[in-house]
Amino acid sequence: MKEAQQKHLWWQESVIYQIYPRSFQDSNGDGVGDLRGIISRLNYLQWLGIDAIWISPIYPSPMADFGYDISDYTGVHPLFGTLDDFDELLQEVHARGMKLILDLVPNHTSDQHPWFLESRSSRDNPKRDWYLWYDAKEDGSVPNNWLSVFGGSAWEWDEKTQQYYYHAFLKEQPDLNWRNPEVQQAMLDVMRFWLDKGVDGFRVDVMWHMIKDKQLRDNPPNPNYTPNMATYEQLVPAYSTDQPEVHQIVRMMRQVLDSYHERMMIGEIYLPIDKLMTYYGTDNSGAHLPFNFLLLSLPWDAAQIASTIGQYEGALPTGGWPNWVLGNHDQPRITSRVGKSQARVAAMLLLTLRGTPTIYYGDEIGMRDVAIPPEEVQDPQGLNMPDLYLSRDPSRTPMQWNDQANGGFSESKPWLRLPDNYRRLNVQAQEQDPYSMLSLYRKLLKLRHEEPALNIGTYVPVPPEGQVLSFIRQHESQRFLIVLNLSHRPVFFKPRNLSCRGRIAIATYPEREGEAFNNSTSLAGDEGLVIRLEEA
Ligand code: GLC
């Protein structure tokens, strides 16, 4: 066991936990979470069994996009604390044997970043070419038809210098010109700044956006567009994203990481499987983990999920390590998508699949999307397209720690409201309850850490039957059979072409733990089982 595990790097054996810092723990009573708050909760994460923490941006920012609009890449926003607080956080994380992954947002800065202020000051400013400035067409219109993800045109007119600049997101988030070597060097230096401090890796924001077509060709119309979709979906972003040259940039970033000891890079990439795979880079020269968001958009259907897992596994390049995600700060929460009971099955899936899982804060207690009244909406995506209900606030609400005021998150009114039921649904209430979601997560994490089969073992699919999704994880002679009922109705499971015996190690309904398994079993609706098989 030791020998086999030594071949794997820490991030392959890890379970990552995403913290949205505004909402994790407030330590100074301003209603917004901060670094000292995170420090105060590290013991909880350690108790839970987390190996690595990824924190969404903590840098100085006007907060037009809640930190994804950065005005200083090597500082800490006063809301979150100071660089000293950061150093202490890093030290405390490492003292617990955990790793810290920062969010890197290289595609765009804030429009208040000194680089952009300079760039926009005059056409001949040395930093003019750091951003994407273009002339209007002859009739004064925008340079091409590219759209902003957050609605409207992606071009903003600058009155003073009489040119347009490109912004894939808000106009307060101008895109950098990554073809400019000075930009490349500046951002690689940012990476070095944090790596020198000892940060273990980066989650790279919108990696597939970083280079755009040099000729600025129009994006083609999306034949699948319907009016209930965001306006951005009107076009296929064929020329504004996923350009071949992006891989050179990713490789440069990887080289910086490789010049340090065992640092890693996750890429945020929303692309189909074949394209996603290219971000591993030729001979693994790209991202260590191009985020796999397949489970976020697939219908919750056993056949489709089984087939997609197979496609993903099959498409991985040699040496490419898989990873899985059930939620993040841009997506509806899993509990709201599939329901409270089925979310337990989803947790079992996430934590038994092959590859590094990332848990979104609060999912471990079954937090749901919180209804935010229109007058309290904060997210620009929600505010810009009010009729489409695209606000990401519902999945960004404060962590529910206990039954005290504001769920123990803050002494003051939090920046986003908590749900009415937080007094019942919180960490404290679930800690001692063996039937809670939190106990299930903890058990799954523990077993995953103890059993190489579940951690680094191979993945062997069992053909899906109805709504039962099943697979085997194996390492040497150790095998686990995972059986997940993705429906709310009871089913009978008897795998074809497979004969095995074992004992239930973890069940979503814990009463069944310890029960013998002999080749077939009934499953209640929303039931999932992790079965330790007898040695073959
Ligand atoms: C990424 C982030 C998202 C942000 C966007 C623009 O998708 O996850 O929260 O709004 O990039 O930076």
Side-chain angles (χ1 to χ4, degrees), residues 65 68 105 108 150 169 173 203 205-206 268 329-330 392 396:
D65 188 19
Y68 284 94
V105 188
H108 46 268
F150 290 154
F169 296 90
Q173 294 168 295
R203 171 268 190 190
D205 193 64
V206 297
E268 186 206 19
H329 64 293
D330 297 324
R392 297 167 294 180
R396 297 176 173 181

Side-chain angles (χ1 to χ4, degrees), residues 61-196:
S61 158
M63 295 283 168
D65 188 19
F66 294 104
Y68 284 94
D69 49 321
I70 296 170
S71 52
D72 172 6
Y73 283 92
T74 53
V76 170
H77 195 299
L79 259 180
F80 296 128
T82 63
L83 261 182
D84 284 342
D85 294 332
F86 177 82
D87 290 337
E88 191 177 324
L89 170 66
L90 184 60
Q91 199 188 340
E92 292 291 329
V93 167
H94 284 166
R96 289 167 177 77
M98 297 194 281
K99 307 283 186 183
L100 190 62
I101 299 167
L102 283 188
D103 215 307
L104 184 75
V105 188
N107 177 69
H108 46 268
T109 68
S110 159
D111 64 346
Q112 299 306 308
H113 194 293
W115 297 343
F116 188 71
L117 295 176
E118 274 193 55
S119 181
R120 127 178 261 178
S121 66
S122 76
R123 284 210 191 189
D124 53 15
N125 183 278
K127 291 217 165 46
R128 185 67 172 180
D129 186 47
W130 280 42
Y131 293 82
L132 299 163
W133 291 100
Y134 289 92
D135 290 335
K137 283 193 182 152
E138 268 175 24
D139 63 358
S141 63
V142 290
N144 68 13
N145 71 351
W146 295 355
L147 296 171
S148 155
V149 176
F150 290 154
S153 168
W155 297 100
E156 180 71 11
W157 180 248
D158 182 58
E159 208 42 59
K160 186 171 169 213
T161 58
Q162 296 284 302
Q163 275 189 318
Y164 283 102
Y165 67 85
Y166 175 74
H167 58 91
F169 296 90
L170 297 175
K171 67 177 187 329
E172 292 85 0
Q173 294 168 295
D175 281 45
L176 283 160
N177 173 17
W178 267 91
R179 296 180 193 273
N180 182 332
E182 288 174 15
V183 169
Q184 297 167 2
Q185 281 320 311
M187 200 59 74
L188 298 179
D189 282 346
V190 168
M191 293 176 72
R192 291 187 189 101
F193 173 85
W194 295 105
L195 291 167
D196 287 341

Side-chain angles (χ1 to χ4, degrees), residues 208-496:
W208 83 114
H209 272 265
M210 290 177 66
I211 293 266
K212 340 323 163 173
D213 179 41
K214 218 174 177 171
Q215 299 173 53
L216 242 53
R217 283 169 280 187
D218 272 352
N219 280 327
N222 175 5
N224 302 320
Y225 174 75
T226 54
N228 61 343
M229 294 177 171
T231 49
Y232 179 70
E233 311 278 345
Q234 286 170 2
L235 305 176
V236 177
Y239 292 107
S240 51
T241 64
D242 192 35
Q243 297 302 292
E245 302 97 309
V246 73
H247 298 292
Q248 293 160 20
I249 305 297
V250 177
R251 192 177 314 130
M252 276 182 213
M253 296 175 133
R254 171 64 179 261
Q255 280 164 357
V256 170
L257 291 160
D258 285 350
S259 68
Y260 292 78
H261 181 64
E262 288 196 9
R263 310 299 168 93
M264 61 88 78
M265 170 164 65
I266 306 171
E268 186 206 19
I269 301 148
Y270 285 90
L271 285 175
I273 294 178
D274 55 335
K275 300 231 167 109
L276 178 66
M277 292 303 160
T278 63
Y279 286 78
Y280 281 100
T282 323
D283 298 325
N284 294 301
S285 59
H288 297 88
L289 299 177
F291 254 148
N292 165 6
F293 295 135
L294 291 166
L295 292 177
L296 296 177
S297 52
L298 278 177
W300 206 251
D301 172 84
Q304 293 202 53
I305 293 181
S307 149
T308 307
I309 296 170
Q311 287 172 44
Y312 176 77
E313 279 275 349
L316 282 167
T318 309
W321 188 254
N323 75 92
W324 296 94
V325 173
L326 270 186
N328 62 40
H329 64 293
D330 297 324
Q331 304 293 333
R333 284 196 182 265
I334 184 69
T335 308
S336 290
R337 279 176 50 212
V338 302
K340 189 170 135 193
S341 308
Q342 188 60 215
R344 297 170 73 92
V345 178
M348 196 170 263
L349 175 65
L350 175 71
L351 297 176
T352 56
L353 279 169
R354 189 177 85 93
T356 306
T358 300
I359 298 172
Y360 184 49
Y361 86 94
D363 279 358
E364 77 274 23
I365 54 169
M367 271 172 64
R368 294 174 57 113
D369 287 342
V370 178
I372 306 292
E375 62 280 9
E376 291 176 23
V377 172
Q378 309 262 354
D379 177 26
Q381 179 168 279
L383 292 169
N384 288 358
M385 295 170 276
D387 302 336
L388 296 177
Y389 297 102
L390 291 175
S391 170
R392 297 167 294 180
D393 294 336
S395 60
R396 297 176 173 181
T397 58
M399 181 71 176
Q400 297 157 211
W401 293 105
N402 55 41
D403 61 4
Q404 306 295 298
N406 306 316
F409 164 72
S410 176
E411 286 168 6
S412 320
K413 185 170 181 255
W415 75 289
L416 280 176
R417 61 164 66 199
L418 283 85
D420 297 330
N421 68 354
Y422 78 80
R423 287 181 198 276
R424 263 188 304 121
L425 203 159
N426 59 58
V427 170
Q428 195 182 43
Q430 294 193 14
E431 261 167 356
Q432 304 302 330
D433 174 4
Y435 297 92
S436 68
M437 181 72 123
L438 186 56
S439 294
L440 176 65
Y441 263 89
R442 200 161 166 248
K443 262 189 279 185
L444 286 164
L445 285 163
K446 185 161 181 284
L447 194 65
R448 189 178 171 101
H449 285 121
E450 285 167 0
E451 296 292 344
L454 288 172
N455 193 334
I456 53 165
T458 54
Y459 165 87
V460 185
V462 174
E465 297 264 351
Q467 281 308 326
V468 178
L469 176 67
S470 176
F471 50 90
I472 290 175
R473 298 291 313 281
Q474 175 159 11
H475 179 75
E476 292 168 1
S477 59
Q478 300 289 326
R479 289 188 307 159
F480 283 83
L481 173 67
I482 289 86
V483 187
L484 307 169
N485 180 359
L486 265 49
S487 78
H488 304 314
R489 310 285 324 269
V491 289
F492 183 68
F493 172 76
K494 185 176 192 324
R496 277 175 290 170

